[in-house]
Amino acid sequence: MPQRPLRPCKKIGCINLTRDKTGYCELHIQEYLEYLKMQKAERDKRYDERVRRIRDKQYSEFYKSDEWERTKTQVLIRDKGLCQWCLVKGIVRPADVVHHIVPIKEDWSLRFDLMNLVSLCHECHNEWHSRVGKG
């Protein structure tokens, strides 16, 4: 295959000639590649923010749904309204949170699964999320 013809570098003010398909000489190709990487990072960031807004809306609608309220009530009745982690420690404390063991952000299909839900007090729930992170 024949070589590409020599062309001036696309970098404004550069007098070097190049055959590179990007149009940049050896001095400026790295700068151009960094610029492309920065553009991609910006696109990815905007995409991630857009997806996060959609997911956050999905989660907030889920937690406001009648089906979640019914499921939450079922779990509290099943666990007799007591924090299950406190009971393991021998402490009797009322539960005021129903916790997803496998977070719905990890597996949306388990959001109503009674085996994936446990009644907790706020202290245990906060302790769990401070140890494990958000979820």
Side-chain angles (χ1 to χ4, degrees), residues 1-119:
M1 184 168 212
Q3 284 187 331
R4 293 176 178 271
L6 285 170
R7 298 192 185 266
C9 177
K10 288 183 178 180
K11 175 73 175 178
I12 296 174
C14 180
I15 59 169
N16 293 327
L17 298 175
T18 183
R19 287 193 167 95
D20 193 88
K21 64 183 175 186
T22 64
Y24 289 90
C25 68
E26 291 179 15
L27 294 175
H28 297 110
I29 186 73
Q30 197 59 40
E31 185 179 328
Y32 171 70
L33 294 176
E34 288 297 320
Y35 170 74
L36 290 180
K37 188 188 286 187
M38 183 187 70
Q39 274 190 323
K40 182 183 181 325
E42 279 297 315
R43 269 195 318 273
D44 291 350
K45 181 181 174 187
R46 284 193 305 272
Y47 173 80
D48 290 345
E49 288 170 357
R50 199 167 46 244
V51 168
R52 194 176 310 116
R53 277 195 305 273
I54 292 167
R55 285 187 185 144
D56 287 348
K57 182 179 178 191
Q58 180 184 32
Y59 299 136
S60 65
E61 286 176 1
F62 161 71
Y63 282 114
K64 293 176 188 173
S65 73
D66 291 339
E67 191 173 359
W68 170 244
E69 289 299 321
R70 285 191 298 273
T71 304
K72 188 168 68 168
T73 302
Q74 277 184 300
V75 173
L76 288 168
I77 291 169
R78 177 195 70 192
D79 295 342
K80 298 176 180 40
L82 300 174
C83 174
Q84 299 302 295
W85 291 353
C86 283
L87 280 178
V88 169
K89 300 178 216 171
I91 303 167
V92 177
R93 185 179 288 160
D96 34 29
V97 177
V98 174
H99 173 72
H100 287 91
I101 299 166
V102 175
I104 60 175
K105 290 182 179 183
E106 288 181 21
D107 191 345
W108 179 253
S109 68
L110 295 176
R111 67 191 182 281
F112 295 117
D113 185 344
L114 296 178
M115 298 305 294
N116 186 45
L117 298 168
V118 62
S119 300

